[in-house]
Amino acid sequence: MPTANLQIPTADGSADAFAAFPEHGGQHPGVLLYMDAIGLRPVLKEMARELAGHGYYVLVPNLFYRYGPAPMVELPEFIGQENRVELFGQLMPMVDALTPELALRDAEAYLAFLTSRPEVSAGPVGVVGYCMGGGLAMRTAAAHPELVAAVAGFHPGGLVTDAPDSPHRLAPKLTAEVHLGLAEHDLTPEGIAELGQALDAAGVDHSCEIYPGTLHGFTMADTAAFNPDGTQRHWDRLLPLLARTLGHG
């Protein structure tokens, strides 16, 4: 599987990124993959390779590039209860500093870079996000409705908040088809209802489901939250979504 380590020019510098794409050459639909709060690391690169194996050019930027190249902190090989609190104490200032304004400025650069790659075919792209990346995927699709045809968020964070620009309030700007795969306690029943009502009222083609028996972070094989059944279900939802919307497969 061909891969590349890249630098994406942004309004605030240069973001390091990882890309994976099919080995048989040619052009392929583009997918922007947003990392979780733990950051760009081997497990996300492996997920990008898996997705690329199905015929996509997958770009995974380091969302915390303002703090330096990934990894910004020393990451353990396995993240469990014994090291999670200390790790997130280091990570959360970077998460909190990535405001919606900065994230959308970066998203414009990421999409411009992705669609300019010679390996990426003309046409719409998909945006996939994990954890904090789920909310960013929704924001990106709402800001670029002419380009983003598919949004998928898995164990997403920050989808329904009291903020005027909460991702669920951006539903009227969406043209993409949306799938959200929630862990059992990612959102309250009230939050799920509010999210569904917003998407329904905007006429967004969407699905939102709770994956049984899962914890937040269930797709991440380097964490104690990893759930093989939930991860397989995530592939079972993601791949058909991309095939339908990006005219592939």
Side-chain angles (χ1 to χ4, degrees):
M1 180 67 60
T3 63
N5 294 308
L6 302 166
Q7 293 291 324
I8 303 175
T10 75
D12 297 322
S14 180
D16 51 307
F18 175 83
F21 42 96
E23 60 185 352
H24 49 78
Q27 292 186 315
H28 313 278
V31 175
L32 176 60
L33 193 157
Y34 280 136
M35 67 192 207
D36 63 352
I38 302 172
L40 179 54
R41 61 197 192 281
V43 67
L44 281 169
K45 294 178 180 181
E46 184 54 39
M47 294 171 79
R49 290 187 187 96
E50 173 71 21
L51 188 51
H54 292 274
Y56 301 96
Y57 183 104
V58 186
L59 181 67
V60 192
N62 168 24
L63 303 183
F64 300 150
Y65 71 89
R66 291 175 178 84
Y67 294 84
M72 284 66 56
V73 301
E74 186 175 349
L75 294 175
E77 290 187 12
F78 184 79
I79 300 161
Q81 293 304 318
E82 71 282 356
N83 52 26
R84 183 178 178 85
V85 172
E86 180 181 356
L87 176 61
F88 273 81
Q90 298 174 277
L91 293 169
M92 287 311 297
M94 290 182 274
V95 174
D96 294 339
L98 187 63
T99 64
E101 293 75 18
L102 289 179
L104 286 177
R105 196 156 73 207
D106 290 342
E108 186 170 355
Y110 300 153
L111 289 173
F113 185 86
L114 174 64
T115 56
S116 72
R117 304 302 298 168
E119 303 92 346
V120 175
S121 55
V125 303
V127 185
V128 183
Y130 299 87
C131 181
M132 61 176 273
L136 295 181
M138 291 271 284
R139 291 186 187 281
T140 299
H144 299 275
E146 77 291 347
L147 181 59
V148 180
V151 172
F154 299 99
H155 43 88
L159 291 181
V160 179
T161 73
D162 294 331
D165 65 344
S166 171
H168 79 290
R169 301 187 200 279
L170 304 176
K173 298 180 179 180
L174 291 171
T175 59
E177 182 179 344
V178 176
H179 174 74
L180 300 170
L182 308 178
E184 288 195 338
H185 301 292
D186 276 339
L187 272 176
T188 64
E190 295 78 14
I192 292 173
E194 188 172 356
L195 175 62
Q197 289 166 5
L199 293 169
D200 286 338
V204 176
D205 187 358
H206 72 279
S207 57
C208 179
E209 62 179 309
I210 297 173
Y211 289 16
T214 57
L215 300 171
H216 184 72
F218 61 81
T219 63
M220 297 297 152
D222 60 350
T223 75
F226 179 63
N227 183 297
D229 291 339
T231 301
Q232 184 57 53
R233 183 185 290 253
H234 127 280
W235 290 120
D236 292 343
R237 299 298 187 267
L238 176 58
L239 293 173
L241 169 67
L242 295 178
R244 284 193 303 273
T245 56
L246 304 188
H248 178 68

